[in-house]
Amino acid sequence: MTFQDHELVQFMLTETEIQDLFSLINHHPGSPPSSSGSQGSNRSVYSSEERKLRRMQSNRESARRSRGRKKKHMENLTVQLNRLRVDNRELKNQLLVTMHQHLLLSLENEKLCSESIALSATLSDLCQILRTILPQ
């Protein structure tokens, strides 16, 4: 392999790069670029493709932001759910304490009512005794 062959191997171009070089060579400075034939359609396809790629990228970013908002919303809902569960547990505990106090007070009320009936009967008996002992 000669030095020139070795130099050519290191300087290989792709088909697209070769076409780009030819288009630059065929384009004369000062003259407008040719818009006829396939080159013009390539430009319109390229700009259409570019718009499509930009739109896709914009949609990806929008979807990423949307996922971020949804994730934040879910996190907020989870925090709210946990807070409501704690509140619910505290309210249930308060209800149990209140029901227990109600039961104790009901029992004491029954006891006091029974004592009141017994004391009323005793008072009635004592009044009867006093009426019999004391002349009118």
Side-chain angles (χ1 to χ4, degrees):
M1 181 180 283
T2 68
F3 177 76
Q4 287 179 338
D5 291 337
H6 182 69
E7 197 172 282
L8 286 175
V9 169
Q10 288 181 344
F11 194 70
M12 296 289 280
L13 296 175
T14 66
E15 185 69 27
T16 305
E17 291 171 329
I18 292 171
Q19 288 176 355
D20 288 344
L21 285 174
F22 277 130
S23 68
L24 288 173
I25 292 170
N26 290 335
H27 175 70
H28 299 292
S31 67
S34 171
S35 62
S36 64
S38 64
Q39 192 175 14
S41 65
N42 281 345
R43 285 193 178 144
S44 66
V45 168
Y46 178 74
S47 61
S48 172
E49 284 295 316
E50 185 178 32
R51 284 193 304 270
K52 183 178 177 182
L53 290 173
R54 285 184 183 180
R55 187 174 60 249
M56 285 173 55
Q57 184 63 28
S58 174
N59 289 347
R60 283 187 186 119
E61 286 297 315
S62 177
R64 184 186 60 77
R65 288 190 304 271
S66 178
R67 286 189 301 272
R69 285 191 303 271
K70 182 178 180 180
K71 181 180 178 185
K72 183 69 173 168
H73 182 64
M74 287 300 294
E75 289 170 355
N76 289 339
L77 287 176
T78 302
V79 167
Q80 183 180 5
L81 175 66
N82 290 334
R83 186 173 53 246
L84 289 172
R85 283 180 174 163
V86 168
D87 290 347
N88 192 27
R89 194 175 315 117
E90 288 174 359
L91 288 171
K92 283 180 179 180
N93 289 338
Q94 287 177 3
L95 179 61
L96 287 173
V97 167
T98 303
M99 289 173 67
H100 182 70
Q101 288 173 342
H102 175 265
L103 178 63
L104 292 176
L105 290 173
S106 293
L107 292 172
E108 186 167 348
N109 188 41
E110 283 181 31
K111 177 184 162 194
L112 290 174
C113 284
S114 295
E115 285 180 17
S116 174
I117 291 170
L119 288 173
S120 291
T122 303
L123 180 60
S124 178
D125 290 343
L126 289 174
C127 286
Q128 186 69 24
I129 292 171
L130 282 175
R131 270 186 244 133
T132 58
I133 296 177
L134 296 174
Q136 298 282 13

